[in-house]
């Protein structure tokens, strides 16, 4: 049974930094691709960042490039999202997702952690 648990979300001021964590269990983390998505009020869930199984390949949405960094720690079975220069438009519930190699979609999702950025 795969379980993803996000943590780290909180209320911060615009311009602040925040690091989200996602602890994974029930899957072979070292062979998994991990992603972060977010859903803002009144909007659809959108892609934020992804990191492949090796940690050597990452991808970001244009809206967060240069500000957010995704990383992983296989020993801790945890994926991180470091967020800098946060903007009010970054306010959303942030979700962690996981999939194994050659799977096109992310079948495993966490329950999300709320990030609120005040102006």
């Amino acid at each position: 049974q795969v379980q993803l648990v996000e943590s780290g979300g909180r209320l911060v001021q615009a311009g602040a930094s925040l690091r989200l964590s996602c602890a994974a269990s029930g899957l072979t983390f070292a062979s998994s691709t991990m992603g972060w998505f977010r859903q803002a009020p009144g909007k659809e869930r959108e892609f934020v960042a992804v990191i492949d199984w090796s940690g050597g390949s990452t991808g970001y949405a244009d809206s967060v490039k240069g500000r957010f960094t995704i990383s992983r720690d296989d020993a801790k079975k945890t994926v991180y999202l470091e967020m800098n220069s946060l903007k009010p438009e970054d306010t959303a519930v942030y979700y962690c997702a996981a999939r194994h190699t050659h799977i096109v979609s992310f079948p495993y999702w966490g329950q999300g952690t709320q990030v609120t950025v005040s102006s």
Side-chain angles (χ1 to χ4, degrees), residues 4 8-9 35 39 62-63 72 77 79 97 99 104 111 115-116 119:
L4 304 174
Q39 187 167 22
D62 288 340
S63 60
R72 65 190 297 153
K77 293 185 177 182
V79 62
R99 65 169 177 85
V104 297
Q111 292 187 324
V115 173
T116 302
S119 59

Side-chain angles (χ1 to χ4, degrees), residues 41-64:
K43 299 181 67 177
E44 295 184 343
R45 186 172 297 184
E46 65 176 343
F47 165 78
V48 175
V50 66
I51 185 166
D52 78 335
W53 68 271
S54 71
S57 181
T58 59
Y60 300 91
D62 288 340
S63 60
V64 306

Side-chain angles (χ1 to χ4, degrees), residues 6 20 24 30 34 55 66 102 118:
E6 303 95 335
L20 305 183
M34 306 296 297
H102 300 132
S118 63

Side-chain angles (χ1 to χ4, degrees), residues 101-117:
T101 304
H102 300 132
I103 303 298
V104 297
S105 62
F106 287 87
Y108 308 115
W109 295 82
Q111 292 187 324
T113 185
Q114 177 71 49
V115 173
T116 302
V117 185

Side-chain angles (χ1 to χ4, degrees), residues 2 19 26 38 45 49 55 63 68 73 119:
V2 175
R19 187 176 78 164
R38 67 186 182 186
R45 186 172 297 184
S63 60
F68 291 10
D73 186 334
S119 59

